[in-house]
Amino acid sequence: MRIVKVALLLSTILISTSCSSKNNTKKETSTEVKVETKTIIQDLSSYETAYFASGCFWCVEAVFESVKGVKEVISGYAGGTEKNPTYEQVGSGNSTHAEAVVVYYNPKEVSYATLVKVFFGSQDPTTLNRQGPDKGTQYRSIAFYKNKQEQKIITDYIAKLTKEKVFSSKIVTEVTPFTTFYKAEDYHQDYEKKHPNNPYIKNVSVPRLNRFKNKFPELLKKNTH
């Protein structure tokens, strides 16, 4: 899919199992992506979009890319006020943004409601400003909605999870109107696939992906890794 220009260099640097130390030396400027234009590398104009944040975007991207009906997932930043944020700013917690993803999907193959199910089923939405080993507001859980219909789907599903006591603690996921999404630096895209031996990937991303796959096998693409 996308070219990672600094993959070999980063694979030797990234030795921690904390997402906050993925890399803080890159200063490449992120690219703004809006719903109306979808200005990314490939033509995805025929697909619908959904925006989510639930911890390290390496993990979230890998989960959604395993789902049937999903064409592409882009890692980036959303939920804050700063324009053109960089990973150095977001990853260090020095911004109001969270690590997020935009999911491009075919609504004839997978519904928005199913993507919301994937979102809540692949994380712990009860941990405030934390997901696994990653702590800070940049790792908070957010479901972004673009219209009232999406908002209702999200809130209804939260109500369902709460009523059924799926989680032992209160769900703290933010339900927020979507404004702007900024594409992360190229080296973050498809990171889980391209760096299977990275310690964070092996110890955090892959186990999280496998837990999701075991939980929802009916949602997976054929031959998903």
Side-chain angles (χ1 to χ4, degrees):
M1 291 190 293
R2 297 174 297 283
I3 299 174
V4 180
K5 297 180 179 180
V6 293
L8 293 178
L9 173 62
L10 288 173
S11 64
T12 62
I13 295 175
L14 303 177
I15 58 174
S16 172
T17 56
S18 171
C19 195
S20 61
S21 61
K22 288 197 294 282
N23 185 266
N24 60 6
T25 61
K26 303 302 294 182
K27 295 182 174 61
E28 302 173 50
T29 301
S30 57
T31 303
E32 184 174 354
V33 180
K34 294 195 176 184
V35 174
E36 295 83 0
T37 58
K38 300 174 186 173
T39 54
I40 58 177
I41 294 174
Q42 55 181 314
D43 181 15
L44 298 170
S45 59
S46 63
Y47 293 88
E48 293 293 330
T49 54
Y51 297 84
F52 301 104
S54 60
C56 173
F57 48 24
W58 289 353
C59 304
V60 185
E61 179 183 6
V63 166
F64 278 103
E65 287 203 332
S66 71
V67 175
K68 289 185 294 186
V70 171
K71 174 63 176 178
E72 178 65 290
V73 183
I74 305 293
S75 289
Y77 316 113
T81 58
E82 297 83 5
K83 293 184 177 180
N84 299 312
T86 64
Y87 179 71
E88 184 177 36
Q89 293 171 314
V90 179
S92 62
N94 291 318
S95 83
T96 55
H97 287 286
E99 291 192 11
V101 299
V102 52
V103 180
Y104 288 87
Y105 68 99
N106 182 347
K108 295 180 180 180
E109 297 181 53
V110 62
S111 67
Y112 182 78
T114 297
L115 295 180
V116 170
K117 179 180 178 180
V118 170
F119 170 69
F120 282 102
S122 60
Q123 60 160 316
D124 182 351
T126 70
T127 51
L128 183 64
N129 299 329
R130 178 175 181 176
Q131 198 61 224
D134 303 315
K135 302 177 183 179
T137 57
Q138 67 270 39
Y139 303 115
R140 66 193 187 273
S141 176
I142 313 173
F144 298 94
Y145 61 88
K146 305 195 303 293
N147 51 54
K148 292 292 184 181
Q149 181 182 8
E150 290 185 353
Q151 182 183 23
K152 187 176 187 305
I153 290 172
I154 297 166
T155 55
D156 284 354
Y157 196 69
I158 291 175
K160 178 178 182 292
L161 293 173
T162 301
K163 182 179 180 180
E164 295 177 357
K165 298 182 180 180
V166 174
F167 299 99
S168 58
S169 300
K170 181 181 178 180
I171 293 173
V172 296
T173 295
E174 296 177 16
V175 181
T176 304
F178 172 74
T179 54
T180 305
F181 177 87
Y182 295 94
K183 177 179 176 289
E185 296 82 353
D186 284 348
Y187 64 88
H188 286 301
Q189 310 303 330
D190 293 322
Y191 204 93
E192 185 268 342
K193 289 181 182 178
K194 295 176 182 290
H195 300 273
N197 295 319
N198 175 271
Y200 183 90
I201 296 299
K202 292 172 67 175
N203 295 305
V204 181
S205 297
V206 171
R208 180 174 173 180
L209 176 61
N210 287 338
R211 286 194 298 271
F212 167 74
K213 291 194 296 184
N214 290 335
K215 193 174 182 180
F216 300 107
E218 72 281 4
L219 300 180
L220 300 177
K221 295 174 181 174
K222 291 183 178 179
N223 302 319
T224 187
H225 75 289

